[in-house]
């Protein structure tokens, strides 16, 4: 059985292996390569690669936390293939993740519940598929980061969005728990084709916040464009990010330019739109793009509490969703900011 999994990985790659084993499997025997790497399948969609003499970076590249977000899954698959065939050298310890194989096989975002709300312990008390997988992924991340205490820690959780966005690619910088926003990381994103960043305003259940909060990792949710089925992604659109991820894996310096606010669209959260009652109305089209902005005085929502009227021209909306139960968040009002 063990030999079969490793053989399957080597012959067909991580994506095909994960697709064929959605419900998980036991940790497999490590594979030693002639490039002095140890490659080990820890579970379905979870692969750790460790060089005999690693540099000081521990890197997590995760994908498929939402099962239908195929481009990041294809990116992870490609990186792993290049490592296995020896064309990509490895200097950083790297953990690769395809998050939700069951949802992936159904071409769905999730089966029971959005997994990216279930990290940082928010899976507790829930026994469905996504909650169990979120708990397991937390454990793999914990084991990975805890193996070294002195390494620089990075976690890029790659996504594509259902909704269009005024800024096609953007990163969500998790709430830093009092630490400074890291401008070098923003420089990395700029060099990787991502110049829009939403600064997190509070703790959350996202995978990236888990790594940031628990391990002080430089962790981000990265939205790379629009959701498409497998095979329909134009991988050229992701080439800048791919190239820089390869550089991180190889331990190469990434050419960046010094941080300058004018190179970025930085947004902070101004308000949360909470649906208070059945009278709630969100006065925008269903397909409005993320970061669409409004004029002062525009009545964005109506509700029993008076709703939300735009206070200043330029306020924008992200993640609008009116089809939610009362008491839940129907979107975020954001405004431009500088660091
Ligand atoms: Zn996503």
């Amino acid at each position: 059985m063990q030999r079969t999994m490793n053989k399957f990985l080597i012959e067909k790659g991580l994506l095909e292996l994960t697709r064929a084993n959605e419900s998980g499997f036991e940790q497999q025997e490590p594979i030693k390569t002639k490039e002095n790497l140890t490659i080990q399948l820890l579970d379905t969609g979870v692969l750790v690669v460790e060089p005999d003499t690693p540099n000081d970076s521990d890197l997590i590249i995760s994908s498929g936390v939402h099962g239908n977000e195929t481009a990041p899954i294809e990116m992870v698959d490609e990186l792993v293939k290049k490592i296995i065939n020896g064309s990509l050298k490895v200097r950083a310890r790297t953990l690769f993740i395809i998050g939700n194989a069951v949802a992936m096989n159904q071409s769905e975002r999730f089966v029971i519940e959005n997994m990216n709300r279930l990290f940082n312990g928010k899976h507790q008390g829930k026994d469905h598929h996504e909650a169990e997988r979120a708990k397991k992924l937390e454990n793999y991340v914990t084991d990975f980061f805890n193996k070294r205490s002195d390494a620089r820690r990075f976690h890029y959780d790659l996504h594509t969005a259902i909704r269009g966005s005024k800024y096609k690619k953007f990163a969500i910088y998790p709430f830093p728990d009092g630490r400074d926003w890291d401008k070098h990381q923003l420089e990395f994103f700029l060099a990787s084709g991502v110049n829009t960043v939403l600064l997190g305003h509070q703790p959350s259940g996202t995978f990236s916040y888990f790594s940031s909060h628990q391990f002080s990792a430089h962790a981000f949710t990265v939205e790379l464009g629009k959701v498409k089925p497998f095979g329909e992604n134009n991988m050229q659109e992701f080439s800048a990010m791919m190239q820089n991820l390869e550089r991180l894996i190889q331990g190469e310096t990434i050419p960046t330019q010094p941080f300058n606010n004018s190179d970025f669209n930085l947004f902070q959260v101004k308000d949360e739109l909470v649906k208070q009652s059945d009278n709630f109305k969100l006065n925008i089209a269903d397909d409005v793009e993320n970061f669409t902005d409004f004029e002062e005085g525009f009545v964005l929502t109506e509700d029993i509490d008076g709703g939300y009227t735009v206070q200043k021209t330029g306020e924008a909306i992200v993640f609008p969703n009116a089809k939610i139960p009362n008491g839940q968040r129907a979107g975020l009002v954001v405004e431009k900011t500088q660091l």
Side-chain angles (χ1 to χ4, degrees):
M1 190 66 179
Q2 295 230 337
R3 211 173 306 143
T4 318
M5 291 285 180
N6 284 339
K7 192 161 172 267
F8 196 136
L9 171 72
I10 290 164
E11 287 174 359
K12 299 204 168 145
L14 186 64
L15 169 53
E16 286 307 317
L17 176 72
T18 306
R19 209 198 293 271
N21 295 277
E22 64 175 26
S23 52
F25 49 74
E26 296 294 304
Q27 177 175 307
Q28 303 294 297
E29 288 298 320
I31 306 165
K32 290 292 280 185
T33 75
K34 57 180 188 300
E35 288 86 15
N36 298 317
L37 298 178
T38 304
I39 298 175
Q40 189 172 22
L41 281 163
L42 303 179
D43 193 346
T44 198
V46 185
L47 181 84
V48 65
V49 181
E50 301 184 281
D52 284 357
T53 50
N55 66 6
D56 68 347
S57 296
D58 284 351
L59 172 64
I60 298 176
I61 301 174
S62 57
S63 67
V65 164
H66 294 134
N68 61 345
E69 297 177 2
T70 58
I73 297 172
E74 291 178 323
M75 290 167 73
V76 161
D77 188 49
E78 172 84 11
L79 291 168
V80 170
K81 279 188 173 137
K82 284 185 169 181
I83 291 169
I84 287 174
N85 73 24
S87 64
L88 179 61
K89 306 287 174 239
V90 181
R91 286 295 317 286
R93 291 180 67 235
T94 307
L95 180 66
F96 293 99
I97 293 172
I98 297 174
N100 193 341
V102 177
M104 179 181 83
N105 280 348
Q106 297 175 16
S107 303
E108 295 285 352
R109 184 172 168 81
F110 54 83
V111 181
I112 306 289
E113 189 175 352
N114 180 354
M115 195 193 286
N116 216 20
R117 301 279 178 278
L118 292 170
F119 291 96
N120 217 35
K122 295 197 189 302
H123 51 74
Q124 279 164 18
K126 299 184 174 185
D127 61 1
H128 59 68
H129 159 66
E130 273 89 12
E132 285 168 13
R133 180 71 170 170
K135 185 179 178 198
K136 282 184 185 169
L137 293 181
E138 286 187 357
N139 290 338
Y140 295 126
V141 167
T142 299
D143 291 346
F144 178 74
F145 279 142
N146 277 347
K147 198 161 168 191
R148 298 198 294 179
S149 57
D150 54 348
R152 299 188 303 151
R153 293 166 170 168
F154 304 90
H155 181 177
Y156 301 106
D157 184 37
L158 309 180
H159 290 249
T160 48
I162 324 165
R163 182 175 293 278
S165 176
K166 184 173 168 186
Y167 309 108
K168 215 168 169 187
K169 298 184 166 97
F170 61 98
I172 302 166
Y173 200 143
F175 180 65
D177 298 304
R179 282 174 289 139
D180 288 336
W181 305 108
D182 189 290
K183 288 179 180 168
H184 295 300
Q185 285 295 299
L186 300 185
E187 292 165 6
F188 164 79
F189 281 114
L190 185 65
S192 308
V194 180
N195 73 342
T196 299
V197 181
L198 175 60
L199 304 173
H201 67 306
Q202 61 181 23
S204 74
T206 65
F207 202 11
S208 64
Y209 179 69
F210 172 74
S211 289
S212 171
H213 179 65
Q214 300 289 343
F215 302 101
S216 298
H218 297 293
F220 297 84
T221 306
V222 191
E223 298 282 355
L224 290 170
K226 220 171 165 190
V227 164
K228 288 184 183 157
F230 277 116
E232 292 182 21
N233 295 301
N234 176 5
M235 297 315 274
Q236 281 297 108
E237 286 178 34
F238 313 107
S239 59
M241 178 59 77
M242 272 297 267
Q243 185 176 23
N244 283 341
L245 291 175
E246 289 185 4
R247 285 174 168 144
L248 285 177
I249 292 167
Q250 295 181 103
E252 286 177 7
T253 309
I254 292 167
T256 57
Q257 51 196 80
F259 178 82
N260 186 335
N261 274 295
S262 64
D263 292 329
F264 291 88
N265 303 301
L266 302 177
F267 288 91
Q268 65 186 7
V269 176
K270 177 152 194 193
D271 214 335
E272 294 197 358
L273 302 170
V274 176
K275 180 178 178 178
Q276 304 287 357
S277 74
D278 293 340
N279 296 327
F280 180 85
K281 228 179 121 206
L282 185 58
N283 293 323
I284 51 172
D286 282 345
D287 60 351
V288 74
E289 295 187 319
N290 278 321
F291 298 103
T292 297
D293 59 336
F294 308 101
E295 300 272 328
E296 182 182 329
F298 176 70
V299 179
L300 184 56
T301 70
E302 297 169 53
D303 207 342
I304 48 166
D305 66 347
Y308 186 86
T309 300
V310 171
Q311 293 164 18
K312 203 173 161 206
T313 296
E315 288 178 12
I317 192 161
V318 287
F319 312 127
N321 181 9
K323 295 185 191 85
I324 45 158
N326 294 344
Q328 286 197 14
R329 197 180 82 187
L332 290 175
V333 177
V334 299
E335 60 186 353
K336 282 219 171 143
T337 187
Q338 298 209 324
L339 290 180

